[in-house]
Amino acid sequence: MDLKSNEPFWLLKNGLMTSYPSLKSDEECDVLIIGGGITGSLIAHQMIEDGYNTILIDKREICNGSTSATTSMLQYEIDVPLYELIKKIGEKGAVESYKACSDSIDKMEKLTQKIKSKAGFKRKKSLYFASKKKDVVGLKKEFEARKKAGFEVKWLESKEVLDTFGFENTFGGIVSKQGASIDAFKFAHELFDLNVKKGLKIFDKTEMKSVKYLKGYNLVSTTNGPQIKAKKIIYCIGYESKNLIKENFVDLKSTFAMVSEIDHDKFKNITSTLVWNTDDPYIYMRTTDDGRLLIGGGDEDFQDPKKRDALLDKKEKEILKVLNKIKPDYHFYTDFVWAGTFGETKDGLPYIGEHPKFKNSYFVLGFGGNGITFSVTGMEMASQFMKNKKHLLSRYFKFGR
């Protein structure tokens, strides 16, 4: 009998945390947020803080999209290494983008403390190791670029990686002080619960059907029937933005992850470290707040949910093969294995800002491995947009860049 679950771990761990009604009558607001995942929860929190009458809708149940499948690793490292990003967009933009992600981890910690979160936020170091000898040159360039930019990093030779973390067959790596992990599914629900008490209205199983851009406001029709009159719309719909925006600005990828009980005797410092490597696609590891080991990777182009999910067994074997290389004596007993979909951009950066074809609207689309930290940056940016102020990162995160 196969007792492994192919449902996302966070969804099963937390269960149905809160139920919200669907939209049954016409509504009016200052800000309509479309998308009820971790990004939507953060932006809604900011809008309520700023005093706006805010409504949020989602076509699914709240947090049951990508947020239920995220690995919730909070890193300042963007999927495109800093030294490569400097070549793509210049030193100022690259360093500021990395620093924004670093600052987002600090802001996330303060927010979890402020709301007395029980979502397991934990500060962690990050180990980025070379899985092949040929990767060392690039990884050392990355180390130097981060050091020059002021990030607290340390280079470890392969023996030091073995002694510190117990990983074999590596070729050295970068240890960064700045990193964290959280249960993003739970945290998003906590933010929603808090802000509903402050006036946020949430309607799930409510899908946007069409938008009319009128003078000074948008009129949003829903598949349920009722309409919402909103001065501004903020789209927090992640990879599903590809269905809305016609130009090719993001590539969809499938990623695979699994969770197991952990044998602490066979790992060193794993509970306090995020781990990833130089493979393409890379693998990543972290522990969960309830003491399990999460490992994932095996990314490939997304086709459709059925074909993605059909690859679960194959991807599980691929990922465990990589784990076996660095931990030959370790047996991983898979309890949960699941797949998720995410967006990958050409420069690893998000799209946050206006789009010329969507009036009175903003997008906060945090793609790649930094979706959550980009969304925290998006809180500040959206707040400034609403006040007609400019943001330093807008030119680097804009559409058409």
Side-chain angles (χ1 to χ4, degrees):
M1 184 182 291
D2 183 4
L3 296 179
K4 286 185 297 191
S5 169
N6 61 0
E7 292 291 331
F9 168 67
W10 311 109
L11 193 56
L12 292 163
K13 173 180 175 280
N14 293 297
L16 185 62
M17 294 189 68
T18 313
S19 292
Y20 295 98
S22 58
L23 184 66
K24 296 180 178 68
S25 60
D26 291 347
E27 293 281 348
E28 198 169 323
C29 60
D30 297 325
V31 181
L32 171 63
I33 297 169
I34 299 176
I38 181 64
T39 304
S41 74
L42 290 163
I43 300 304
H45 178 75
Q46 185 65 55
M47 293 300 106
I48 293 294
E49 283 271 300
D50 290 349
Y52 298 108
N53 175 12
T54 306
I55 293 174
L56 181 143
I57 63 172
D58 194 293
K59 68 179 184 180
R60 302 182 181 87
E61 291 182 328
I62 292 300
C63 297
N64 275 31
S66 293
T67 299
S68 68
T70 177
T71 52
S72 300
M73 291 169 66
L74 306 178
Q75 297 170 278
Y76 73 87
E77 297 105 320
I78 295 166
D79 285 349
V80 173
L82 178 58
Y83 80 96
E84 290 185 3
L85 190 59
I86 288 170
K87 293 176 192 173
K88 287 176 181 284
I89 67 170
E91 188 167 9
K92 183 181 179 183
V95 171
E96 288 299 331
S97 296
Y98 265 70
K99 284 186 175 175
C101 287
S102 179
D103 291 344
S104 290
I105 297 171
D106 298 335
K107 290 172 184 174
M108 187 73 120
E109 182 177 38
K110 286 177 184 173
L111 185 52
T112 60
Q113 291 169 346
K114 182 180 177 182
I115 73 167
K116 296 181 172 60
S117 169
K118 294 178 181 176
F121 178 93
K122 185 177 179 181
R123 283 276 179 180
K124 296 186 177 182
K125 299 188 294 289
S126 171
L127 170 67
Y128 182 27
F129 72 85
S131 54
K132 298 180 182 70
K133 195 172 183 178
K134 67 180 180 65
D135 297 338
V136 173
V137 173
L139 199 56
K140 285 197 170 176
K141 284 181 184 176
E142 179 63 6
F143 171 71
E144 293 300 334
R146 291 192 201 175
K147 195 174 174 183
K148 183 186 174 188
F151 294 105
E152 199 168 334
V153 289
K154 183 181 178 183
W155 178 265
L156 297 185
E157 297 296 342
S158 55
K159 188 179 183 304
E160 292 175 291
V161 174
L162 178 62
D163 292 343
T164 309
F165 300 100
F167 294 142
E168 300 180 28
N169 300 310
T170 74
F171 296 88
I174 302 170
V175 173
S176 298
K177 187 178 179 183
Q178 179 77 317
S181 64
I182 195 170
D183 178 342
F185 180 90
K186 189 170 188 175
F187 184 59
H189 272 287
E190 289 175 335
L191 283 176
F192 284 136
D193 289 344
L194 173 74
N195 286 293
V196 163
K197 290 169 187 167
K198 294 181 177 181
L200 173 66
K201 290 183 180 179
I202 298 176
F203 302 99
D204 68 8
K205 294 183 179 174
T206 300
E207 186 174 1
M208 182 188 81
K209 183 181 177 184
S210 62
V211 185
K212 282 184 181 176
Y213 301 107
L214 302 167
K215 192 174 181 180
Y217 68 93
N218 303 312
L219 190 62
V220 176
S221 298
T222 68
T223 52
N224 300 30
Q227 296 179 317
I228 302 170
K229 184 180 177 182
K231 292 176 185 174
K232 296 285 183 181
I233 298 174
I234 303 180
Y235 293 94
C236 302
I237 53 177
Y239 74 88
E240 290 188 325
S241 56
K242 187 147 183 169
N243 298 327
L244 202 62
I245 299 169
K246 299 310 174 189
E247 61 258 35
N248 187 24
F249 68 103
V250 63
D251 295 322
L252 299 190
K253 299 284 181 176
S254 298
T255 191
F256 303 83
M258 48 200 181
V259 161
S260 164
E261 294 176 23
I262 185 170
D263 184 347
H264 290 279
D265 293 336
K266 293 188 177 179
F267 276 94
K268 294 180 182 180
N269 299 316
I270 190 66
T271 57
S272 59
T273 312
L274 307 173
V275 180
W276 54 310
N277 70 359
T278 54
D279 283 345
D280 185 15
Y282 57 82
I283 62 142
Y284 44 86
M285 276 191 284
R286 59 161 284 200
T287 52
T288 63
D289 60 316
D290 63 346
R292 299 170 188 262
L293 180 66
L294 186 157
I295 180 168
D299 302 351
E300 62 173 61
D301 292 341
F302 172 77
Q303 297 178 59
D304 62 60
K306 282 187 178 180
K307 288 181 179 177
R308 177 196 66 194
D309 294 350
L311 292 170
L312 284 171
D313 286 342
K314 178 189 171 189
K315 291 297 178 179
E316 179 186 357
K317 290 183 178 72
E318 282 181 17
I319 293 166
L320 290 181
K321 189 176 178 181
V322 178
L323 177 62
N324 185 251
K325 184 181 174 185
I326 59 171
K327 296 293 295 180
D329 60 341
Y330 191 78
H331 187 87
F332 188 97
Y333 294 94
T334 307
D335 293 330
F336 304 89
V337 56
W338 71 94
T341 302
F342 70 97
E344 183 179 83
T345 61
K346 61 187 177 182
D347 49 17
L349 299 177
Y351 284 90
I352 301 176
E354 295 178 287
H355 189 286
K357 292 186 178 176
F358 297 82
K359 296 176 185 175
N360 313 319
S361 303
Y362 305 110
F363 287 82
V364 181
L365 308 174
F367 293 120
N370 295 72
I372 298 173
T373 49
F374 283 144
S375 296
V376 175
T377 301
M379 293 171 70
E380 179 188 344
M381 294 179 75
S383 181
Q384 292 200 11
F385 296 157
M386 290 293 295
K387 296 164 189 166
N388 294 317
K389 293 180 180 178
K390 293 183 178 180
H391 192 279
L392 170 70
L393 291 170
S394 289
R395 61 180 289 199
Y396 304 108
F397 294 177
K398 69 181 182 179
F399 288 93
R401 59 178 182 257

